[in-house]
């Protein structure tokens, strides 16, 4: 895996694809700088090694040149996080941009305008990629969040740089973390897969069965499995058309000696709201008119025991409707157990918007081994797919 550490950046311009698709408030202040912080290590390294950094990213989903989604709004936040001045260049291709890039003093940082102001970016247009490539000597991809897209700046552009392409430190860590779970793992390996639907996670589950010893299934998707096995699930979320798929996965898991753990007891509610009436019942005996919205205490305890015995842990998806405080306990219990196991030496990888948010809410971010920065990209890697942004660098000649 070729990373920035394999290159000499002195007097070179690194054209770095970062993921600065950050949230902003109505006054255009960046409200969460996590993604900028995530790119800092690579930028610092290149600057320290005598290079100049030309950063490029998309922001939101603009239709044409939409001033509201200009990357100029985030320049103060980028500058603050990096601790250096950042020059904004108000386009990303063309003679004027090239001139400004060439005029950058060695050791400086510049940010190009939103790549998606050009529809050619998402179309993976070769001519557009070639025009972008004029802005650097070495191409660095450090945007895991878009690595599953075959866009001009994330994949197609690599061809224009020959051998001068590499992974940034963030993207390299993401690949390494998934590798530590799926291939180079310490056993026992436990995956906790939650979330709303079976349909969005089934390919992940099928693909990870070869690597894991325990599979904890939680959240809305658990009820399709419970119903498929003959359980009474009341008004809980269910995908009737996925019941056979669920049974097939359980059969495959058994063949591969993977222990599957479904909730034992669940907290049920008589309405989908935080102040609904609730009670705890066996997970396969939910009365009509009630829906399962969280794991019960018995499940929490059982899952904690499994997690604490694990040496490698993957968590993707909440095991209850954690956005409502009445149904957050199961997800909190999972987060705490993973943090505890990590403290005892296990490797833990947390990914997916909701699990990452829950980890942050609990103040456990630093207690996990690795928190992934890419939801969709991580799922596709776990599904065993080749990501265009990764392949483009691995195949560079
Ligand atoms: P996903 O995007 O598939 O990872 O699903 C995350 C969503 O699943 C969150 O918004 C949770 O509130 C929701 N969820 C988790 N457990 C349940 C449940 N038992 N019933 C309904 N929704 C749930």
């Amino acid at each position: 895996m070729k990373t920035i550490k394999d290159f000499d950046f002195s007097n070179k311009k690194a054209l770095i694809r970062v993921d600065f698709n950050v949230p902003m408030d109505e006054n255009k202040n960046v409200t969460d700088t996590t993604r900028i912080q995530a790119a800092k290590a690579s930028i610092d390294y290149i600057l320290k090694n005598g290079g100049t950094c030309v950063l490029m990213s998309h922001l939101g989903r603009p239709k044409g040149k939409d001033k509201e989604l200009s990357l100029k709004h985030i320049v103060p936040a980028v500058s603050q996080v990096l601790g250096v001045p950042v020059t904004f260049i108000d386009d990303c291709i063309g003679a004027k941009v090239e001139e400004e890039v060439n005029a950058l003093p060695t050791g400086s940082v510049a940010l190009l305008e939103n790549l998606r102001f050009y529809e050619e970016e998402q179309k993976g247009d070769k001519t557009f990629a070639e025009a972008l490539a004029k802005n650097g000597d070495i191409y660095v991809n450090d945007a895991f969040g878009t690595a599953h897209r075959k866009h001009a700046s994330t994949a197609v552009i690599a061809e224009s740089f020959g051998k001068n392409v590499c992974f940034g430190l963030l993207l390299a860590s993401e690949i390494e973390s998934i590798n530590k779970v799926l291939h180079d793992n310490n056993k026992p390996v436990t995956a906790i897969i939650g979330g709303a639907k079976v349909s969005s996670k089934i390919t992940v589950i099928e693909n990870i069965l070869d690597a894991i010893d325990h599979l904890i299934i939680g959240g809305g998707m658990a009820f399709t499995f419970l119903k498929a096995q003959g359980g009474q699930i009341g008004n809980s979320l269910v995908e009737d058309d996925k019941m056979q798929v669920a049974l097939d996965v359980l059969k495959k898991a058994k063949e591969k000696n993977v222990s599957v753990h479904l909730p034992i007891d669940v907290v049920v509610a008589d309405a989908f709201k935080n102040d609904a009436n609730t009670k705890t019942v066996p997970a396969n005996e939910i009365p009509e008119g009630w829906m399962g919205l969280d794991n019960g205490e018995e499940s929490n305890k059982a899952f904690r025991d499994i997690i604490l015995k694990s040496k490698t842990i993957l968590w993707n998806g909440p095991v209850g409707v954690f956005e409502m405080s009445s149904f957050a306990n199961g997800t909190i219990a999972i987060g705490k157990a993973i943090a505890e196991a990590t403290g005892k030496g296990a490797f833990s990888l947390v990914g997916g918007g909701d699990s990452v948010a829950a980890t942050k809410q609990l103040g456990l971010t630093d207690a996990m081994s690795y928190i992934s920065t890419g939801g969709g990209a991580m799922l596709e890697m776990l599904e065993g797919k080749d990501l265009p942004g990764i392949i483009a660098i691995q195949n560079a000649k």
Side-chain angles (χ1 to χ4, degrees):
M1 184 159 65
K2 237 174 14 164
T3 77
I4 53 173
K5 299 212 165 153
D6 297 304
F7 284 85
D8 176 8
F9 285 93
S10 55
N11 295 314
K12 294 272 194 277
K13 286 190 180 65
L15 179 61
I16 315 178
R17 179 49 159 106
V18 289
D19 179 8
F20 284 177
N21 184 28
V22 289
M24 293 188 293
D25 64 17
E26 62 278 10
N27 298 318
K28 304 286 171 217
N29 295 312
V30 176
T31 52
D32 183 348
T33 58
T34 308
R35 286 181 170 163
I36 303 172
Q37 280 160 9
K40 183 171 158 55
S42 291
I43 297 166
D44 283 353
Y45 180 90
I46 291 166
L47 293 179
K48 211 170 137 230
N49 284 275
T52 301
C53 294
V54 180
L55 311 177
M56 56 177 177
S57 177
H58 74 283
L59 177 63
R61 294 180 174 167
K63 293 213 163 42
K65 295 187 180 174
D66 176 356
K67 289 253 159 14
E68 292 287 301
L69 290 171
S70 169
L71 277 169
K72 106 177 157 230
H73 302 301
I74 77 159
V75 170
V78 176
S79 179
Q80 198 192 10
V81 171
L82 298 181
V84 295
V86 173
T87 304
F88 179 68
I89 298 181
D90 72 354
D91 204 341
C92 57
I93 53 164
K96 196 167 154 277
V97 174
E98 279 169 54
E99 216 173 282
E100 286 181 58
V101 166
N102 288 330
L104 290 170
T106 298
S108 59
V109 178
L111 175 64
L112 304 180
E113 181 56 289
N114 194 341
L115 297 163
R116 289 197 189 165
F117 281 4
Y118 291 85
E119 60 178 21
E120 289 89 339
E121 161 64 358
Q122 282 176 277
K123 286 187 175 158
D125 183 85
K126 200 161 184 307
T127 313
F128 176 70
E130 283 164 359
L132 278 179
K134 299 227 163 83
N135 298 316
D137 307 306
I138 299 169
Y139 169 68
V140 179
N141 191 353
D142 212 17
F144 184 60
T146 48
H148 57 316
R149 307 283 183 219
K150 194 173 178 182
H151 294 169
S153 70
T154 60
V156 182
I157 192 170
E159 287 170 35
S160 305
F161 286 87
K163 279 191 162 58
N164 289 332
V165 301
C166 59
F167 294 113
L169 300 177
L170 169 70
L171 189 35
S173 309
E174 296 275 0
I175 297 170
E176 206 180 302
S177 302
I178 291 188
N179 208 30
K180 273 192 186 167
V181 171
L182 294 189
H183 306 292
D184 194 12
N185 52 24
N186 287 326
K187 291 188 170 284
V189 182
T190 297
I192 303 111
I193 306 289
K197 290 184 167 178
V198 174
S199 45
S200 61
K201 303 277 167 77
I202 200 74
T203 327
V204 170
I205 294 181
E206 280 171 349
N207 188 54
I208 62 176
L209 284 179
D210 282 324
I212 64 176
D213 304 292
H214 293 276
L215 172 65
I216 295 175
I217 298 178
M221 61 190 274
F223 299 103
T224 300
F225 283 86
L226 289 162
K227 185 174 178 186
Q229 289 179 305
Q232 305 293 315
I233 60 156
N235 295 26
S236 305
L237 198 67
V238 68
E239 288 166 276
D240 284 319
D241 60 334
K242 291 288 175 295
M243 286 203 289
Q244 189 53 48
V245 176
L247 290 175
D248 291 346
V249 162
L250 293 174
K251 189 163 162 261
K252 265 190 218 158
K254 202 167 180 192
E255 285 162 12
K256 292 178 191 280
N257 274 327
V258 178
S259 312
V260 178
H261 309 273
L262 286 158
I264 305 158
D265 60 343
V266 287
V267 176
V268 294
D270 60 358
F272 191 79
K273 53 182 191 188
N274 198 35
D275 58 359
N277 294 309
T278 62
K279 57 184 177 181
T280 301
V281 300
N284 55 4
E285 289 173 27
I286 302 177
E288 274 313 306
W290 295 79
M291 61 187 97
L293 296 183
D294 196 11
N295 285 343
E297 279 311 310
E298 227 184 299
S299 308
N300 293 342
K301 198 183 158 303
F303 295 165
R304 179 173 181 276
D305 288 347
I306 296 161
I307 291 169
L308 284 180
K309 283 185 194 134
S310 308
K311 291 272 178 294
T312 304
I313 303 156
L314 166 72
W315 181 24
N316 185 293
V319 298
V321 185
F322 80 108
E323 299 94 331
M324 299 183 199
S325 57
S326 305
F327 311 110
N329 287 339
T331 302
I332 293 173
I334 295 283
K336 284 188 174 163
I338 299 175
E340 204 179 325
T342 311
K344 290 185 175 154
F347 175 79
S348 55
L349 168 60
V350 180
D354 290 315
S355 330
V356 174
T359 307
K360 268 190 197 162
Q361 259 175 42
L362 291 169
L364 293 176
T365 307
D366 293 335
M368 308 300 191
S369 308
Y370 195 79
I371 309 263
S372 177
T373 57
M378 184 196 184
L379 284 181
E380 289 201 16
M381 277 194 89
L382 292 173
E383 285 172 357
K385 289 188 185 150
D386 285 334
L387 271 51
I390 294 175
I391 290 294
I393 294 198
Q394 285 171 342
N395 290 352
K397 298 189 209 40

